[in-house]
């Protein structure tokens, strides 16, 4: 019995020693550089696999990294793509396509998706919304777009993103300034995680050639915006 216990103890000690030697021998540390500049932190190669501190590298490249525990989501955005996936005025989201976005609003962060599903202008537009029957002012016309807007995750549980008149802007090709929308609802709609808004958003724009572009942005970040084509 003693021999068995001694043999078992010896094998346990031997296994732990071998494991320690293996881990020590297979682990190598590396310093980190981003675009040639050294940053804090280090990478490790363990058993042929390299592990890098993701947040440190992303922030070193000017991007953003944010953990949303409630939705078990990690949001990563590249600076050059902005928080809206890189759909710019020169490269707008095609009509009918879906874009995913990350938006900061009133100190909350949201991840969602948006699609422009339909568009109507002029007299045809007034037929869609019976609540709006009066004609557009002289020299102006109506542009209506049907939007599917969904919130997939939020930083704060239960937080709601309001779709107010300045959430969507129509780009006037003559100026080119953003024309705020108007909503056909008694109360401004708001959307929380797992909810969506599917409805019409209206604009009163000058008559003439239309730019065919709608912008989605937050009220405190007009530099970053999602540009979308409309037909």
């Amino acid at each position: 019995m003693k021999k068995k216990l001694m043999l078992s103890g010896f094998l346990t000690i031997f296994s732990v020693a071998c494991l320690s030697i293996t881990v020590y021998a297979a682990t190598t540390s590396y310093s980190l550089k981003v675009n040639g500049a050294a940053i804090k932190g280090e990478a490790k190669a363990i058993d042929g696999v390299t592990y890098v501190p993701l947040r440190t590298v992303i922030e070193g490249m000017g991007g953003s990294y944010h953990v949303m525990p409630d939705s078990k989501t990690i949001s990563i955005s590249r600076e050059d793509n902005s928080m809206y996936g890189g759909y710019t005025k020169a490269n707008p989201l095609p009509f009918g396509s879906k874009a995913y976005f990350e938006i900061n609003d009133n100190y909350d962060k949201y991840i969602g998706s948006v699609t422009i599903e339909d568009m109507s202008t002029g007299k045809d537009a007034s037929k869609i919304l019976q609540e709006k029957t009066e004609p557009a002012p002289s020299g102006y016309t109506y542009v209506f777009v049907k939007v599917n807007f969904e919130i997939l995750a939020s930083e704060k549980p239960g937080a709601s993103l309001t779709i107010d008149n300045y959430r969507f802007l129509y780009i006037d090709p003559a100026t080119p300034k953003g024309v705020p929308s108007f909503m056909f609802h008694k109360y401004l709609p708001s959307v929380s995680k797992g909810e969506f808004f599917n409805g019409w958003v209206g604009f009163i724009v000058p008559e003439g050639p239309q730019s065919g572009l709608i912008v989605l942005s937050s009220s405190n970040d007009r530099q970053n915006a999602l540009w979308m084509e409309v037909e």
Side-chain angles (χ1 to χ4, degrees):
M1 184 68 177
K2 286 184 178 181
K3 288 184 179 181
K4 288 184 179 180
L5 289 173
M6 290 177 64
L7 179 61
S8 176
F10 174 75
L11 290 175
T12 301
I13 294 171
F14 179 75
S15 298
V16 171
C18 288
L19 180 61
S20 300
I21 293 171
T22 301
V23 171
Y24 176 78
T27 302
T28 306
S29 297
Y30 294 87
S31 59
L32 293 174
K33 287 187 176 182
V34 173
N35 294 327
I39 61 174
K40 292 182 179 180
E42 64 178 22
K44 293 184 180 293
I46 302 175
D47 292 335
V49 179
T50 303
Y51 297 87
V52 177
L54 187 61
R55 180 170 192 162
T56 302
V57 173
I58 290 170
E59 292 179 347
M61 297 177 70
S64 69
Y65 175 102
H66 198 85
V67 178
M68 299 180 176
D70 182 60
S71 59
K72 296 181 180 179
T73 302
I74 296 177
S75 170
I76 299 173
S77 298
R78 286 169 46 187
E79 184 180 32
D80 59 337
N81 275 352
S82 84
M83 64 181 67
Y84 297 94
Y87 293 106
T88 63
K89 184 176 182 180
N91 178 40
L93 178 74
F95 180 83
S97 300
K98 178 184 288 188
Y100 294 91
F101 61 84
E102 175 186 303
I103 192 168
N104 297 306
D105 195 78
N106 294 326
Y107 305 103
D108 288 332
K109 187 186 291 287
Y110 302 87
I111 296 173
S113 66
V114 63
T115 306
I116 293 183
E117 299 181 337
D118 200 358
M119 177 181 177
S120 187
T121 60
K123 295 180 179 179
D124 291 336
S126 61
K127 295 178 182 177
I128 296 173
L129 299 171
Q130 297 300 319
E131 305 96 314
K132 196 72 178 177
T133 56
E134 66 269 19
S138 177
Y140 289 81
T141 186
Y142 287 121
V143 172
F144 295 156
V145 293
K146 190 175 184 182
V147 176
N148 191 66
F149 185 94
E150 184 177 6
I151 297 299
L152 304 174
S154 61
E155 182 177 12
K156 296 181 181 178
S160 296
L161 185 67
T162 301
I163 305 177
D164 58 27
N165 294 344
Y166 287 88
R167 183 68 60 202
F168 293 95
L169 300 176
Y170 181 90
I171 304 305
D172 179 0
T175 41
K177 293 182 179 179
V179 178
S181 64
F182 58 88
M183 308 299 297
F184 296 89
H185 304 270
K186 186 176 181 180
Y187 302 103
L188 292 176
S190 60
V191 187
S192 301
K193 174 191 170 185
E195 299 177 346
F196 64 90
F197 166 79
N198 186 267
W200 293 90
V201 177
F203 304 88
I204 299 178
V205 304
E207 291 181 336
Q210 307 303 324
S211 66
L213 291 175
I214 302 291
V215 170
L216 165 68
S217 66
S218 65
S219 57
N220 56 3
D221 187 8
R222 297 297 186 195
Q223 298 301 315
N224 289 309
L226 168 61
W227 293 71
M228 299 173 284
E229 289 181 336
V230 291
E231 292 184 343

